[in-house]
Amino acid sequence: VQLQASGGGLVQAGGSLRLSCGASGSIFSIGSMAWYRQAPEKDRELVASASGGSTRYADSVKGRFTISRDNAKNAVYLQMNSLKPEDTAVYYCYAEVLSAVLGMGLKPIWGQGTLVTVSS
């Protein structure tokens, strides 16, 4: 079971990017899905999460970023608009997965990260 993220890149301030992340493998179901980010020399922080039809955002991205899910595809997306240089970071997708391969209960798994660079 793994998560594969894509969509990062270099964009000018004010621009937009859309990150995608898909889960693959032997999966029964997925609980919460989320995006985190880690800027150089900073701790990893939650950007946005989606669970049970509810979404949650970090204050710094509210009104600019939108998280969405496609449960049929086991995928999560992050639409990022009005990007700022301070959004520069490696973005990681996260999911809580129910899989016979991972054992009983929902287990947390991480994607490999995708770099977003916003130039001023």
Side-chain angles (χ1 to χ4, degrees), residues 35-105:
W35 289 95
Y36 286 75
R37 68 185 180 187
Q38 187 167 19
E41 301 182 357
K42 291 189 176 181
D43 292 334
R44 190 173 297 190
E45 63 172 351
L46 176 67
V47 176
S49 66
S51 178
S54 298
T55 57
R56 183 163 62 108
Y57 296 91
D59 287 344
S60 59
V61 307
K62 283 181 181 176
R64 299 189 297 121
F65 291 11
T66 302
I67 189 171
S68 60
R69 292 177 60 163
D70 185 335
N71 292 326
K73 296 182 178 180
N74 289 334
V76 62
Y77 308 97
L78 187 67
Q79 178 65 44
M80 304 185 294
N81 299 328
S82 302
L83 282 160
K84 304 175 181 180
E86 51 264 43
D87 295 317
T88 295
V90 177
Y91 284 71
Y92 298 89
C93 58
Y94 166 93
E96 295 175 347
V97 176
L98 183 63
S99 168
V101 175
L102 300 177
M104 293 288 290

